[in-house]
Every structure is written in structure tokens, then in C-alpha cells.
């Protein structure tokens, strides 16, 4: 089975792509494409926490249920079960899509990227990576605009 790994920088349309594949999950599945995502979510954010070398105590990790190394290892086991089950009934000639902007945000070291690669190679014979980037100045202006629209009050300075 082949994997397309989509990693989007913030403010590059990643959520829209994820929403599309999530909304059309069955149609794509009938065509041989499996969209892998966390149950109850449109994206696959938990994989970034599972691959992180350092478990920090931020809200994001707690929202995934990871407070320490034992939680991280249990999350890896759950992801192995989930991916194995999702792929079990599919043709090995099919394609899977995994999308997460959190891989862009959370994975910071070569070791973490190597861990992700090793993890995914358990399931996939071929991995293609698609990364969406954005000009940092455009990203800053867009992020500030979103912040203001969400009720933020700090000045641009």
C-alpha cells in the first residue's frame, strides 16, 4: 500500500483539504483511497504527539491524552491498531492519505522525522510527502487577521 503524507504549514488551506477528504470519505474509499484521521476529527493530529521525542505539558498534548512517556507509548500502540484495522480490508495496491498540519508544527528534530518514517514504513511500501508552505510575511498577516476575527485585541506590534 502507498501513502501520501500531507503536511501543511498553518494558513495554507490544510483544514479545507482535510474537511474535503473527511466529507467524501466513502466516495474516495470506493476508488481505492483511504483517508486516515483520528476518530471524531477531520485530521490526524495524534500522530504528531506520538512521534514527539519530548513530552511537554502543553494543552495540545493533554487534549490527545498524553502526559508522560507511558501515555505516548500507549498512543503509539493505539495508532498501530487503528492503521492496521483501517488497512486490513483494503487492497495492497491502494493508496492512503494522512494529513496533519501538526506534523509541521510539532516535529522539530531529525530524530522525530526518522521516528515518523520508521513508524509509517510498518504499513506502507511507498511514502510520498506533500508539504504546503507559505511566505512568512503573508502567513503573519493572515494569522493576525484570524486572531482579530476571533476576538483578539492585541495590536499588530
Amino acid at each position: 500500500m502507498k501513502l501520501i503524507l500531507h503536511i501543511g504549514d498553518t494558513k495554507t488551506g490544510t483544514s479545507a483539504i482535510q474537511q474535503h477528504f473527511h466529507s467524501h470519505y466513502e466516495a474516495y474509499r470506493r476508488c481505492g483511497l483511504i483517508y486516515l484521521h483520528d476518530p471524531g476529527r477531520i485530521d490526524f493530529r495524534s500522530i504528531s504527539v506520538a512521534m514527539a521525542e519530548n513530552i511537554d505539558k502543553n494543552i495540545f498534548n493533554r487534549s490527545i491524552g498524553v502526559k508522560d512517556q507511558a501515555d505516548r507509548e500507549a498512543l503509539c500502540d493505539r495508532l498501530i491498531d487503528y492503521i492496521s484495522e483501517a488497512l486490513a480490508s483494503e487492497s495492497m495496491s491502494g493508496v492512503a492519505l494522512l494529513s496533519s498540519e501538526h506534523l509541521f508544527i510539532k516535529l522539530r528534530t531529525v530524530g522525530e522525522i526518522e521516528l515518523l518514517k520508521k513508524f509509517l514504513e510498518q504499513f506502507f511500501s511507498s511514502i510520498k510527502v506533500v508539504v504546503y508552505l507559505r511566505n512568512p510575511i503573508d502567513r503573519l498577516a493572515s494569522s493576525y487577521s484570524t486572531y482579530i476575527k476571533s476576538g483578539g485585541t492585541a495590536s499588530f506590534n
Side-chain angles (χ1 to χ4, degrees), residues 139-155:
R139 179 180 170 205
L140 177 64
S142 181
S143 294
Y144 182 71
S145 173
T146 300
Y147 170 74
I148 295 298
K149 289 176 189 175
S150 300
T153 58
S155 72

Side-chain angles (χ1 to χ4, degrees), residues 54 59 61 110 125 128 141:
N54 296 313
I59 293 168
N61 288 358
V110 171
S125 59
K128 303 288 184 199

Side-chain angles (χ1 to χ4, degrees), residues 43-142:
D43 63 351
F44 206 152
R45 62 179 53 192
S46 62
I47 198 164
S48 64
V49 174
M51 298 301 119
E53 291 175 335
N54 296 313
I55 303 301
D56 52 19
K57 305 292 187 220
N58 67 27
I59 293 168
F60 178 77
N61 288 358
R62 287 196 308 266
S63 73
I64 302 292
V66 173
K67 298 179 292 301
D68 56 28
Q69 186 64 22
D71 288 343
R72 184 186 155 284
E73 290 170 7
L75 175 59
C76 285
D77 290 341
R78 287 194 305 272
L79 293 179
I80 288 170
D81 292 344
Y82 165 71
I83 295 172
S84 297
E85 185 177 312
L87 302 179
S89 63
E90 302 303 323
S91 163
M92 291 310 285
S93 62
V95 175
L97 172 65
L98 188 159
S99 177
S100 177
E101 63 271 21
H102 300 283
L103 290 170
F104 186 89
I105 297 165
K106 300 287 284 178
L107 298 189
R108 297 288 184 197
T109 69
V110 171
E112 290 171 332
I113 294 167
E114 288 173 344
L115 184 61
L116 175 64
K117 181 178 183 276
K118 183 177 179 182
F119 179 83
L120 294 174
E121 285 177 337
Q122 298 175 77
F123 308 101
F124 303 103
S125 59
S126 170
I127 301 171
K128 303 288 184 199
V129 179
V130 177
V131 179
Y132 283 19
L133 301 173
R134 188 165 187 190
N135 180 309
I137 299 298
D138 294 339
R139 179 180 170 205
L140 177 64
S142 181

